[in-house]
Amino acid sequence: MGKYSDSPLWSDIVPIPQDDGGPNPLAAIKYTEEYSEAMSYLRAVMANNEFSERVLDLTEDVIGMNAAHYTVWNNRLYRAKVLFSLNADLRAEITWLNAIALEHQKNYQIWHHRQLIMEHLADPSGETDFLMQMFAHDSKNYHVWSYRQWLVRHFGLWETEFGDIEELLRKD
C-alpha cells in the first residue's frame, strides 16, 4: 500500500493521520497518498520524540515532497535535533542543503536550518563561495542576503565581504 506502511522498518509506528476538523472539513487540502502517508509517520515519530536515522530519512522524504514544510524544518527545530542527536555529518547536511537551496531559492526555512547547522559546525568554509553561486541565480534574494549578514557577523568574515560586494555591484 505505501512506502512506510509496507516497510518492516516502520512496523512499530502507529501513524497519526491528518485531522482536518471532522468528517466535513471546511477547506480540506487534497494531498497525494505518498505525502499523507509520510506526514502521518512524521507526526507519529515527532509525538514520540524519536531521533533516529529512519527519522532523518523521513524528514528528507517530506522535504523532497514539500521543501517549504515548516514543521519538518523548524517545529522545535526537528531535523536539526535529529542531526545533532545522531552526531551526523554536518558537512554532508550542508552539501544536501546546497542542492535543496539551488532548487528552492526563495525558501526561508532552508536558511534558518542552515544557520543552525553552521553554528554547530563553527566553520564557515565554503559558505561565501556557495552564497556567490546563489547570487549568480538571483542577486537580490532576501533570504540569502539575510543569511549572509548573519554569517559575516557571526564568523567575522569582513575581509572577503568587501570584495564580494564589489563584484556583485559590478555585475548589477
Side-chain angles (χ1 to χ4, degrees):
M1 181 181 148
K3 179 178 180 176
Y4 297 97
S5 61
D6 290 344
S7 171
L9 182 64
W10 293 93
S11 63
D12 62 316
I13 298 295
V14 176
I16 300 173
Q18 173 76 24
D19 180 3
D20 287 328
N24 299 309
L26 180 61
I29 298 172
K30 178 88 172 129
Y31 298 110
T32 65
E33 287 183 28
E34 295 84 6
Y35 185 77
S36 292
E37 181 189 36
M39 285 305 303
S40 68
Y41 279 82
L42 180 67
R43 281 188 286 278
V45 295
M46 289 179 79
N48 292 334
N49 284 318
E50 181 179 332
F51 303 107
S52 64
E53 286 289 338
R54 73 178 180 175
V55 171
L56 192 60
D57 292 341
L58 174 60
T59 62
E60 186 171 339
D61 194 23
V62 171
I63 289 166
M65 290 184 265
N66 180 2
H69 197 291
Y70 181 83
T71 300
V72 175
W73 292 113
N74 294 323
N75 185 2
R76 298 179 283 151
L77 311 172
Y78 195 64
R79 184 170 170 87
K81 283 183 178 179
V82 173
L83 289 163
F84 301 151
S85 71
L86 294 173
N87 291 316
D89 179 355
L90 298 181
R91 280 286 165 206
E93 180 73 356
I94 290 295
T95 300
W96 178 76
L97 281 171
N98 288 352
I100 300 293
L102 286 166
E103 188 177 341
H104 304 280
Q105 295 183 19
K106 303 288 184 169
N107 181 326
Y108 75 88
Q109 290 93 342
I110 291 169
W111 298 100
H112 182 249
H113 180 71
R114 190 180 193 100
Q115 181 177 329
L116 293 170
I117 301 306
M118 273 294 133
E119 285 175 341
H120 277 77
L121 271 175
D123 175 9
S125 300
E127 280 298 276
T128 55
D129 291 338
F130 177 70
L131 296 178
M132 292 300 282
Q133 185 180 355
M134 290 294 297
F135 288 137
H137 293 278
D138 180 0
S139 64
K140 297 186 175 46
N141 185 321
Y142 174 80
H143 307 299
V144 179
W145 276 111
S146 294
Y147 173 76
R148 186 177 181 110
Q149 288 174 341
W150 170 83
L151 186 76
V152 169
R153 274 192 319 269
H154 188 77
F155 291 105
L157 303 176
W158 300 106
E159 297 93 36
T160 60
E161 183 65 1
F162 295 118
D164 287 351
I165 297 300
E166 285 181 14
E167 179 183 338
L168 289 167
L169 287 171
R170 271 194 310 274
K171 289 179 179 178
D172 194 34

